[in-house]
Amino acid sequence: MACRISELVLDCRDPEALAEFWCEALGFVVLLRDGDDVEIGPREGFGGLQPTLVLSRTDDPRPGKLPLHIDVSPTDRDQDAELERLLAAGARHADVGQTGEESWYVLADPEGNEFCLLRKRLT
């Protein structure tokens, strides 16, 4: 057996606010608060197939485009309905040079971290 990703860590200014956004976006819950850091994940908790997301407080988040970004896919609605839901939760459109022909939307979370909303619906 190889290893697998168990958690992703995202440096941010306001872990609580970002946890609220990502919990809404992913259907996650807060699993752990450790100092200023907040770990969120699926309701089943740690150790499942989905990695958790640790929002780690820093006064100096990395400026500019991150070398790694998150892709999300709708699970219970089509892409356009999911886009509206994410925008209502605090996401915003981001321009990274798209042509308009892409099958995905590029968005940013409330702190400007880019992520993509893919078309394919997952079950």
Side-chain angles (χ1 to χ4, degrees):
M1 174 84 170
C3 61
R4 64 181 169 86
I5 296 172
S6 57
E7 54 190 51
L8 301 170
V9 179
L10 181 61
D11 290 343
C12 59
R13 288 180 194 89
D14 188 347
E16 291 290 338
L18 224 49
E20 184 177 333
F21 170 79
W22 283 107
C23 280
E24 174 68 23
L26 300 172
F28 278 9
V29 297
V30 172
L31 299 173
L32 177 69
R33 286 183 171 85
D34 184 13
D36 289 334
D37 295 350
V38 180
E39 186 164 7
I40 65 173
R43 294 184 190 284
E44 304 82 54
F46 304 100
L49 294 177
Q50 294 185 63
T52 61
L53 182 59
V54 177
L55 303 157
S56 182
R57 187 183 181 314
T58 180
D59 290 327
D60 191 25
R62 182 180 176 155
K65 186 175 183 344
L66 297 174
L68 174 74
H69 70 266
I70 297 171
D71 287 346
V72 299
S73 296
T75 58
D76 62 354
R77 59 193 59 136
D78 68 21
Q79 184 186 41
D80 290 334
E82 185 63 3
L83 174 64
E84 292 307 313
R85 189 182 77 80
L86 291 170
L87 292 172
R92 64 181 188 278
H93 288 279
D95 183 359
V96 296
Q98 304 92 300
T99 65
E101 299 298 317
E102 294 81 7
S103 63
W104 61 87
Y105 291 101
V106 180
L107 303 171
D109 71 16
E111 287 201 10
N113 300 299
E114 296 162 358
F115 67 99
C116 294
L117 171 61
L118 306 180
R119 177 181 297 164
K120 185 174 182 179
R121 185 171 160 185
L122 302 177
T123 54

